[in-house]
Amino acid sequence: MGQERDIEPCLRQSLMFGELSTAQLAQLAAIAELQVWQRQHIIFRKGDLAPGFFVVKTGRVKVFNLSTAGKEQILHICEAGDSFAEVTAFDHQPYPAFAQALDDVELVFFPRSAFLGLLHREPALAVHLLAGFAKRLRHLVSLVETLSFKQVPQRLAAYLLQLVPRDRSDTVTLNLTKTELAALLGTIPATLSRAFYELSLQGIISVNGAEITICDRQQLQRISEE
């Protein structure tokens, strides 16, 4: 019972489960398992059998793929409340990507068989979850669009605007290495450094180590939309 009380607040802040009632969250927490993974540990590899999916309770998880040449493309950096590998709960296929703990992490794991059993018993729960899946699909469509049609400075501008919403401070501290951020934006560290330099040279941002300050939000917005 104590574990379920620990899990419910995590599910409440999740995009996938945040709209559910207290009773529905309790049902989900009852079938979930808490897992702890150490920093840099590979949680699963592409092609591994998929017994279920995850929600991040604490820490960060990197979901990524590798090209045949070994180049990494980060699909998502999952933080507290984010879910990943959800598709495997429904298509009975292996994991389609890799997942690695960037920090020491706590994960809420949902076994596929128990999760599907709950949905069969509670169809109203399944309907509510469709909204969460729609949000994840929109994110992936946006990622494909960004990588296909935008140059690196545009991708970087859009990423920085995501980190610093209009109603918050204009300064943020990056919590990814340059290599990780480059992989997330679909480029290489050297090209990413040039993009930072170009935006700094134009006076749009100010860079102090990992601390980034947006000096001209309007111009950064314009670049992100080009």
Side-chain angles (χ1 to χ4, degrees):
M1 186 68 179
Q3 175 176 295
E4 292 174 20
R5 284 199 298 268
D6 287 341
I7 290 174
E8 284 184 43
C10 168
L11 301 184
R12 191 173 297 282
Q13 67 173 315
S14 167
L15 273 179
M16 186 172 180
F17 300 125
E19 301 300 320
L20 300 182
S21 68
T22 300
Q24 289 170 327
L25 290 176
Q27 289 177 305
L28 285 165
I31 65 168
E33 305 168 6
L34 272 178
Q35 297 183 356
V36 177
W37 296 81
Q38 292 183 336
R39 182 176 180 271
Q40 299 303 321
H41 196 96
I42 297 293
I43 299 165
F44 55 75
R45 290 175 169 81
K46 182 176 181 178
D48 283 353
L49 293 177
F53 68 98
F54 303 82
V55 175
V56 180
K57 187 173 184 288
T58 61
R60 296 174 301 147
V61 172
K62 174 176 69 173
V63 179
F64 65 100
N65 262 323
L66 295 173
S67 71
T68 53
K71 181 180 178 182
E72 181 180 277
Q73 172 62 61
I74 295 179
L75 304 175
H76 194 54
I77 301 293
C78 303
E79 300 185 346
D82 288 340
S83 56
F84 61 99
E86 312 96 312
V87 66
T88 63
F90 297 96
D91 67 3
H92 298 257
Q93 297 297 310
Y95 288 120
F98 298 79
Q100 181 180 28
L102 290 179
D103 312 304
D104 292 340
V105 298
E106 289 181 290
L107 301 178
V108 179
F109 174 72
F110 289 94
R112 181 170 58 83
S113 57
F115 180 72
L116 291 179
L118 177 59
L119 295 189
H120 282 299
R121 295 192 303 272
E122 301 288 342
L125 180 60
V127 173
H128 278 90
L129 289 179
L130 287 176
F133 279 106
K135 291 175 183 176
R136 295 288 291 153
L137 180 59
R138 286 182 182 276
H139 165 75
L140 292 174
V141 169
S142 176
L143 176 64
V144 171
E145 179 183 272
T146 296
L147 295 178
S148 299
F149 301 120
K150 293 187 176 183
Q151 300 300 314
V152 175
Q154 295 171 294
R155 298 177 205 168
L156 177 58
Y159 177 76
L160 293 176
L161 287 169
Q162 264 186 340
L163 290 183
V164 191
R166 187 172 296 277
D167 59 344
R168 300 182 189 173
S169 166
D170 282 334
T171 300
V172 66
T173 300
L174 297 177
N175 60 1
L176 298 176
T177 67
K178 184 184 293 184
T179 299
E180 290 168 344
L181 181 54
L184 181 63
L185 298 180
T187 186
I188 59 175
T191 303
L192 178 64
S193 294
R194 286 196 295 273
F196 269 115
Y197 177 73
E198 290 173 14
L199 294 177
S200 300
L201 194 63
Q202 297 175 57
I204 298 171
I205 64 172
S206 172
V207 180
N208 182 18
E211 189 174 90
I212 312 295
T213 299
I214 295 179
C215 306
D216 189 338
R217 183 183 290 271
Q218 185 176 359
Q219 183 71 347
L220 193 66
Q221 185 74 46
R222 184 190 66 77
I223 290 173
S224 74
E225 295 172 351
E226 285 180 345

